[in-house]
Amino acid sequence: MLKAIVYVTLRESVLDPQGSAVKGALHTLGFAEVADVRIGKYMEVALETDDREQAVERVREMAEKLLANTVIEDYRFEIVEG
Amino acid sequence: MKVAVIVFPGSNADLEMFNAVEDIMQVPVEYVWHSETDLAAYDVILLPGGFSYGDYLRCGAVARFSPVMEQVAKAADAGKLILGVCNGFQILLETGLLPGAMLRNRSLKYRCKMVPLRVENNQTPFTADYAENEIIQIPIAHGEGNYYCDQETLARLKANKQIVFTYEGENPNGSIENIAGICNERRNVLGMMPHPERAVHQWMSSDDGKRLFSSILKTWREQNGAAINA
């Protein structure tokens, strides 16, 4: 069994209203060093396979097709032992 | 002429859409469940608002893979008229039938109110009964209506006059260029965040949405002769 850890974040060029609001809140709390906050999604996808190479290919397909909307989001992932 | 209102798990403006068609267009209309695989019987396909699949992952992201959406894409290819309102617009974006994507409202607030819209393009099957640059009152109700596309896509939308509605005055969600609704190049697919089906009688505070439905009917009649209930 393998597991894909997938991270999806808004692209750099896209304003992240949630991130901006959290940054503002952190500033209010006195964390003046906070320059930027980007909020994204973290997903764990359990895979019924032991073939890493195939898993990479399949998870990329999953990300492109559904997990991320590449118009506004970037994704990256790693494959770990499930 | 026959109209389909597509119903996904979580659609909630389907009844209003259905009633608007009955009241204004007065043609046969049916609910079509998202698992349907044949839309051949319908001339106009309406994707209503709501929260299909709970808006899980992204608005419209899961609905986009419903069996019916393959048929909607085919119908779009065939030149049939397709209107997506609110969540329906989000689904059309996720499907790629319209360019761009939706972001969370810049204010992070769910906005539910009557808003003034400018009719930027009245040369579409959906806006023929409006005047160009006319200001109309249509309500919005969404938390993710902040339309986004890259500069290249925006330039294309402008060049092809695909921006159909814009917010007049205050932009309620932060959308690029105040965009409230866009169509495809061929003009047979329209997506818009405001709800025309919620503004079809004076008692709804506005009946400016009526003419969107009458425009659809008019266009269809022109294209198919006068046989309306055939």
Side-chain angles (χ1 to χ4, degrees):
Chain A
M1 285 279 287
L2 294 173
K3 192 160 73 178
I5 310 288
V6 187
Y7 304 89
V8 178
T9 48
L10 282 173
R11 296 181 109 167
E12 282 303 318
S13 57
V14 175
L15 179 87
D16 176 359
Q18 287 187 86
S20 303
V22 171
K23 182 178 88 171
L26 287 170
H27 283 172
T28 306
L29 289 171
F31 296 102
E33 71 274 31
V34 175
D36 195 19
V37 178
R38 309 285 292 176
I39 293 181
K41 297 177 187 130
Y42 168 90
M43 303 172 211
E44 291 182 352
V45 183
L47 303 168
E48 280 181 342
T49 178
D50 291 313
D51 185 338
R52 273 177 178 267
E53 210 170 303
Q54 193 200 30
V56 167
E57 198 179 305
R58 299 280 288 173
V59 172
R60 185 171 296 126
E61 206 181 323
M62 291 177 206
E64 290 282 338
K65 275 194 172 162
L66 178 64
L67 303 182
N69 179 341
T70 53
V71 175
I72 45 169
E73 293 170 326
D74 286 324
Y75 67 87
R76 63 193 165 84
F77 64 88
E78 53 204 65
I79 305 289
V80 299
E81 289 300 324
Chain B
M1 178 192 208
K2 207 167 173 186
V3 178
V5 174
I6 309 289
V7 184
F8 298 94
S11 294
N12 67 9
D14 42 340
L15 178 62
E16 288 152 298
M17 195 67 103
F18 189 98
N19 286 351
V21 173
E22 277 202 321
D23 291 359
I24 310 306
M25 295 171 72
Q26 298 178 353
V27 296
V29 52
E30 284 174 6
Y31 290 117
V32 175
W33 189 234
H34 68 113
S35 54
E36 188 58 58
T37 53
D38 184 6
L39 292 177
Y42 305 99
D43 304 290
V44 175
I45 296 162
L46 307 176
L47 302 174
F51 300 86
S52 58
Y53 295 90
D55 274 355
Y56 295 159
L57 194 62
R58 292 180 307 278
C59 305
V62 184
R64 171 234 190 292
F65 292 101
S66 289
V68 79
M69 286 313 295
E70 224 171 281
Q71 301 306 312
V72 171
K74 267 192 200 157
D77 262 356
K80 289 186 180 181
L81 297 183
I82 295 165
L83 166 67
V85 169
C86 202
N87 191 225
F89 185 12
Q90 293 162 341
I91 296 168
L92 290 174
L93 293 173
E94 282 284 340
T95 311
L97 286 174
L98 292 172
M102 279 304 167
L103 296 168
R104 186 76 65 94
N105 289 355
R106 191 164 289 190
S107 63
L108 293 176
K109 287 178 185 152
Y110 187 96
R111 304 295 298 275
C112 184
K113 60 187 269 204
M114 189 68 80
V115 299
L117 297 181
R118 179 182 291 270
V119 181
E120 297 280 350
N121 184 353
N122 69 343
Q123 306 289 310
T124 80
F126 307 92
T127 53
D129 279 344
Y130 293 107
E132 197 179 354
N133 284 319
E134 184 178 349
I135 307 298
I136 58 173
Q137 302 292 324
I138 306 280
I140 56 163
H142 61 252
E144 299 201 26
N146 180 355
Y147 177 80
Y148 172 87
C149 64
D150 59 29
Q151 288 303 316
E152 199 182 306
T153 306
L154 182 63
R156 215 166 50 235
L157 288 178
K158 283 183 176 171
N160 297 326
K161 286 189 151 289
Q162 287 172 254
I163 301 172
V164 180
F165 297 110
T166 53
Y167 298 108
E168 184 69 8
E170 190 221 6
N171 179 333
N173 51 39
S175 64
I176 199 161
E177 296 275 330
N178 301 318
I179 284 173
I182 57 167
C183 64
N184 62 347
E185 264 185 70
R186 197 171 163 184
R187 309 262 187 275
N188 66 317
V189 180
L190 171 70
M192 61 193 293
M193 287 315 293
H195 288 268
E197 77 282 10
R198 292 181 182 167
V200 292
H201 296 289
Q202 263 311 321
W203 58 261
M204 292 172 154
S205 303
S206 166
D207 62 2
D208 286 347
K210 250 167 119 166
R211 280 178 288 157
L212 192 135
F213 293 95
S214 64
S215 297
I216 294 174
L217 190 59
K218 185 170 143 183
T219 306
W220 191 86
R221 277 180 184 167
E222 281 170 8
Q223 289 171 354
N224 297 275
I228 309 149
N229 287 316

